[in-house]
Amino acid sequence: MTGRYLEDFAVGQIFHSGPLPINEERIKTFATEFDPQPFHLDEKTARDTIFGGLVASGWHTAAITMRLLVESDLRPAGGIVGAGFDEFRWLRPVRPGDALRIEAEVVEVRPSRSRPDQGVLKVRTTTLNQRNEAVQVTVGNLVVPRYPKSSGQESTQE
Amino acid sequence: MTGRYLEDFAVGQIFHSGPLPINEERIKTFATEFDPQPFHLDEKTARDTIFGGLVASGWHTAAITMRLLVESDLRPAGGIVGAGFDEFRWLRPVRPGDALRIEAEVVEVRPSRSRPDQGVLKVRTTTLNQRNEAVQVTVGNLVVPRYPKSSGQESTQE
């Protein structure tokens, strides 16, 4: 797997993805498997709920965000491996016909103390719809490998 | 929709779900759509990655957790409507053949100041495998309706 190592990242870098449309049929099939609630399954029933109409499951939005992150120009060596989030919010519902894209900003680059071969990349990922409204914001921690060291050299920074 | 109102919840209540198995085929089809990375797609290639073998996408685990939450005895009136998370961590990989279940503990019940008809339920949801090892922990905030007030009565607590 090729890609960027920890040393290739710097605070303030922003990575992008193209837009991905989300349609009514896929909203319903995703929800049938993972989030079978009326506001994700049926337009008519959804009108009488807090959302006032059919909306995608937040987990569908989160999963699409992951897809967009994989397709973006972020490309850490070793893949996108998440440990968890400092922040995770859904800001607006996603509705049939919306198209989502992401902006991923590097907010911290931190070598690991216990694992000299890797570090943590903290990334704020904003998922936007076709009106450039943020629908989801996360601040996540990715495990990213460091450049392999030349052998026989001891680091003094562990 | 029937279910529990904010007043029906109390700190310390724990809700459960039955187990749901996760198999290799579904791990791969989910990943193909949402998280197309080698460690989720191919057993052989996965051996040389950080996971040492095929693992489910964290988003697959998160989506299954949502399914288990919907099927659990939590059942808030108006459905499970999440605003976001205070905490979100993946603790262990999920592998083909694992079976997941959840324990959801109420950690806070808070009436809304701005919306007297609803409140926030803070829930710590632990997703466990068949060896009772936690694979995911989240602390999330759900929007839950309060019991409808009798008309003509003003609350002094808004």
Side-chain angles (χ1 to χ4, degrees):
Chain A
M1 241 181 293
T2 59
R4 296 174 214 267
Y5 289 85
L6 193 73
E7 291 83 352
D8 298 320
F9 290 103
V11 172
Q13 286 172 335
I14 299 182
F15 300 94
H16 299 86
S17 78
L20 194 72
I22 181 167
N23 69 35
E24 182 172 336
E25 188 198 344
R26 195 63 196 94
I27 285 176
K28 291 178 182 176
T29 54
F30 184 98
T32 301
E33 183 172 5
F34 294 118
D35 194 351
Q37 303 197 87
F39 32 74
H40 303 315
L41 293 171
D42 181 74
E43 179 58 44
K44 251 189 194 164
T45 321
R47 277 184 216 144
D48 297 328
T49 68
I50 190 171
F51 297 109
L54 193 77
V55 296
S57 167
W59 299 108
H60 197 173
T61 302
I64 287 174
T65 298
M66 183 65 199
R67 170 69 185 241
L68 294 173
L69 211 51
V70 171
E71 288 177 351
S72 78
D73 43 359
L74 185 72
R75 301 197 176 284
I80 299 179
V81 177
F85 295 89
D86 294 351
E87 204 180 313
F88 190 124
R89 282 178 297 145
W90 291 296
L91 303 172
R92 277 182 190 78
V94 172
R95 299 187 187 271
D98 283 356
L100 305 181
R101 64 181 182 88
I102 60 144
E103 290 180 7
E105 182 183 356
V106 175
V107 293
E108 194 181 332
V109 181
R110 193 177 68 236
S112 167
R113 282 169 180 277
S114 57
R115 292 281 308 267
D117 57 336
Q118 64 185 41
V120 172
L121 188 70
K122 198 184 288 289
V123 179
R124 176 188 302 274
T125 304
T126 307
T127 313
L128 303 131
N129 65 21
Q130 67 280 14
R131 290 178 297 278
N132 288 320
E133 298 165 330
V135 298
Q136 181 186 287
V137 172
T138 64
V139 178
N141 297 299
L142 303 179
V143 178
V144 176
R146 301 181 70 175
Y147 270 108
K149 289 212 180 94
S150 48
S151 62
Q153 199 177 348
E154 285 290 324
S155 167
T156 55
Q157 292 222 317
E158 291 167 34
Chain B
M1 239 179 293
T2 59
R4 295 174 216 267
Y5 289 86
L6 193 73
E7 291 82 353
D8 298 320
F9 290 102
V11 172
Q13 287 172 334
I14 299 180
F15 300 94
H16 300 85
S17 79
L20 195 71
I22 181 167
N23 68 37
E24 183 172 335
E25 188 198 345
R26 194 63 194 96
I27 285 176
K28 291 178 181 176
T29 54
F30 185 96
T32 300
E33 183 172 5
F34 294 118
D35 195 350
Q37 303 196 87
F39 33 73
H40 304 315
L41 292 171
D42 181 74
E43 179 58 43
K44 251 190 195 161
T45 322
R47 276 183 219 146
D48 298 326
T49 67
I50 190 172
F51 297 110
L54 193 77
V55 296
S57 167
W59 299 108
H60 197 173
T61 303
I64 286 174
T65 298
M66 183 64 199
R67 170 66 183 244
L68 294 172
L69 211 51
V70 171
E71 287 177 352
S72 78
D73 44 357
L74 184 73
R75 301 197 175 282
I80 298 180
V81 177
F85 295 89
D86 294 351
E87 203 179 313
F88 191 123
R89 281 179 297 147
W90 290 297
L91 304 172
R92 277 183 189 78
V94 172
R95 300 188 186 269
D98 283 356
L100 304 180
R101 65 182 181 86
I102 59 144
E103 290 180 6
E105 181 183 357
V106 175
V107 293
E108 193 181 334
V109 181
R110 191 176 70 235
S112 167
R113 283 169 179 275
S114 56
R115 292 281 309 267
D117 57 336
Q118 65 185 42
V120 172
L121 189 70
K122 197 185 289 287
V123 178
R124 177 187 302 273
T125 304
T126 307
T127 312
L128 303 132
N129 65 21
Q130 68 279 12
R131 291 178 297 276
N132 288 320
E133 298 165 331
V135 297
Q136 181 187 287
V137 171
T138 64
V139 178
N141 298 298
L142 304 178
V143 178
V144 176
R146 302 183 69 176
Y147 271 109
K149 288 212 179 94
S150 48
S151 60
Q153 200 176 347
E154 285 290 325
S155 167
T156 55
Q157 291 222 319
E158 291 163 37

